[in-house]
Amino acid sequence: MARGLDVVGERWALLVIRDLLLGPKRFNDLLGGLPGVSPNVLSQRLRDLVDHGVVHRRDLGAPARVHLYELTAWGRELEPMLLHLGRWGSRAPQPPGDLGIDSLLLSVKAGFDPACAGTLRGTYELRIDDDAYLAEVTDDALTISRAASGHPDATLSTDIDTLRALSDGRCTITDAVRSGNLHLTGDQPAVQRLTGLLLASFSPSELDQDRPI
């Protein structure tokens, strides 16, 4: 445990790793997703994680001239521990500030029950503002990544504020659809599976497969 904390125990280190679980990010994207971290501190944490072999830095080259940060295979092994820590920490008071997209989607993954995978199986695209994510439910697992699917079973399109409101119970999916802040496409069974996937983590009491969307 002490050796592991020597690698990832510095303030912000685990949050950087959390924000890379869904796929690579540029420095400015990481900075924007970690309110309160300074550019200098983020740069130092990234250097430390790269030096330890947890994160890999990739140069995109001309004309972009930016670096892309992604987890190494060793770094990705931290995912189940981080999800478990997230489930454990969910019982603590909510800290001030808004949750980022990565935090919200990882909460879906942390709350996923493999026993329900059979009823939620499918490929779903989540369009949150300008970002696209792919959620795939197989027989016993859920994967979420920063990617778009050419032929998803169902698609959800919304903005980050609406997703936050759904996550903390300030609105329901039905209300968000009626207001025009959330759009669902796909056949009705697939849409029900997609909303069921979200509701299982965000607001279990609203989960009702017979309720019209």
Side-chain angles (χ1 to χ4, degrees), residues 122-202:
T123 301
Y124 312 108
E125 187 171 273
L126 310 174
R127 299 174 184 169
I128 315 298
D129 290 321
D130 296 327
D131 298 313
Y133 297 82
L134 181 65
E136 295 182 278
V137 181
T138 59
D139 288 335
D140 59 359
L142 165 65
T143 60
I144 303 177
S145 58
R146 269 186 285 275
S149 170
H151 303 285
D153 298 317
T155 299
L156 178 149
S157 302
T158 190
D159 57 84
I160 182 62
D161 289 334
T162 301
L163 191 64
R164 289 183 182 125
L166 290 171
S167 73
D168 60 22
R170 285 180 287 125
C171 80
T172 66
I173 287 180
T174 301
D175 292 337
V177 169
R178 287 174 179 166
S179 69
N181 292 326
L182 186 148
H183 302 276
L184 293 161
T185 58
D187 61 59
Q188 187 67 11
V191 167
Q192 291 285 4
R193 293 195 301 273
L194 170 55
T195 57
L197 177 64
L198 293 179
L199 294 176
S201 296
F202 287 167

Side-chain angles (χ1 to χ4, degrees), residues 2-3 12 15 23 38 59-60 64 80 86 99 104 131 150 155 157 163 171 174 186 189-190 205-206 210:
R3 292 163 64 187
W12 297 108
L15 295 181
S38 70
D59 187 354
L60 295 182
L99 293 175
L104 291 169
D131 298 313
T155 299
S157 302
L163 191 64
C171 80
T174 301
S205 62
E206 189 191 338
D210 296 325

